[in-house]
Amino acid sequence: KQEVTQIPAALSVPEGENLVLNCSFTDSAIYNLQWFRQDPGKGLTSLLLIQSSQREQTSGRLNASLDKSSGRSTLYIAASQPGDSATYLCAVSNFGNEKLTFGTGTRLTIIP
Amino acid sequence: NAGVTQTPKFQVLKTGQSMTLQCAQDMNHNSMYWYRQDPGMGLRLIYYSASEGTTDKGEVPNGYNVSRLNKREFSLRLESAAPSQTSVYFCASSEASADTQYFGPGTRLTVL
């Protein structure tokens, strides 16, 4: 059974710094990996989707990487802003079972 | 273009009462999902519908039923609510299984 872990559970960073969020998964036979953000009391918003054949995806200040062999993905946020404060979740789908398995998220706070 | 909409936003039930959570999407997506989100547990899949006319159990289906009414609408029914079903419920949709998922704003349900 696929298990997805995100450590740390919470992170505080001064505004302007670059930061990395981590996601690890136990079964490397993934179909794709998705990163979401969730603002308090809101639904999830998709940020990036990386297919299993890809190494990374970029959108603006966000860059997500994927290393299937080590079971890891990172989300890099450049030049952090207070508006980046949210909970970030990663989720993976596996071949033959394309439903998403979610991590419990990292709550990010950007300090002005 | 509203995306994914859910009703109601909040609901309080007494143990044993029944209710239906409604979800609709206007993106012509084939796949739809119901999740619950609990503190420390992440998002867990309750039921999903890969296409109109089909439904399948997810990780935590007990105590729930679903109906894929048409391509747009996917409802979740609690026949006899229990306090353990106190949670935030999210509906999501995607063009196909394992594609980027789009989430609704959620329904916060309390069962007393």
Side-chain angles (χ1 to χ4, degrees):
Chain A
K1 179 187 171 186
Q2 178 72 271
E3 292 182 4
V4 181
T5 303
Q6 293 183 252
I7 296 172
L11 180 66
S12 293
V13 174
E15 180 179 0
E17 286 199 0
N18 305 324
L19 62 99
V20 174
L21 304 179
N22 298 302
C23 172
S24 61
F25 46 92
T26 56
D27 183 349
S28 61
I30 66 169
Y31 185 75
N32 63 36
L33 183 145
Q34 302 185 39
W35 281 95
F36 297 86
R37 73 172 275 167
Q38 184 176 27
D39 294 288
K42 306 288 187 184
L44 281 68
T45 300
S46 178
L47 297 173
L48 290 164
L49 182 152
I50 311 178
Q51 299 290 356
S52 62
S53 58
Q54 297 176 311
R55 297 279 299 187
E56 64 179 68
Q57 276 282 10
T58 297
S59 175
R61 295 183 294 109
L62 306 180
N63 177 277
S65 68
L66 175 64
D67 184 343
K68 284 192 306 179
S69 62
S70 66
R72 296 183 63 184
S73 176
T74 60
L75 180 67
Y76 174 83
I77 302 177
S80 58
Q81 303 170 357
D84 295 330
S85 296
T87 296
Y88 290 80
L89 298 102
C90 70
V92 301
S93 63
N94 284 82
F95 282 103
N97 178 18
E98 280 101 15
K99 302 181 290 295
L100 289 178
T101 301
F102 282 84
T104 52
T106 295
R107 188 174 69 251
L108 176 67
T109 302
I110 305 300
I111 304 164
Chain B
N1 191 339
V4 179
T5 57
Q6 293 183 236
T7 56
K9 286 187 169 56
F10 300 93
Q11 184 71 48
V12 178
L13 294 178
K14 294 181 180 178
T15 297
Q17 287 185 319
S18 62
M19 77 161 296
T20 300
L21 282 65
Q22 306 286 355
C23 173
Q25 52 91 8
D26 62 2
M27 296 173 281
N28 201 36
H29 284 168
N30 291 301
S31 301
M32 298 186 73
Y33 313 83
W34 276 105
Y35 294 91
R36 59 179 289 174
Q37 185 175 38
D38 302 290
M41 302 288 290
L43 272 86
R44 293 179 293 169
L45 183 66
I46 305 171
Y47 271 95
Y48 70 103
S49 171
S51 60
E52 185 180 357
T54 68
T55 60
D56 285 289
K57 295 178 180 179
E59 183 183 354
V60 288
N62 291 345
Y64 306 94
N65 285 301
V66 291
S67 295
R68 183 76 182 265
L69 304 169
N70 47 56
K71 193 170 186 179
R72 290 187 64 247
E73 298 173 288
F74 188 37
S75 63
L76 178 72
R77 182 160 178 84
L78 287 69
E79 290 290 352
S80 179
S84 61
Q85 294 178 304
T86 294
S87 187
V88 182
Y89 291 85
F90 289 102
C91 177
S93 70
S94 62
E95 190 166 337
S97 296
D99 284 344
T100 297
Q101 291 191 14
Y102 297 84
F103 281 74
T107 295
R108 191 171 298 273
L109 174 67
T110 300
V111 183
L112 301 175

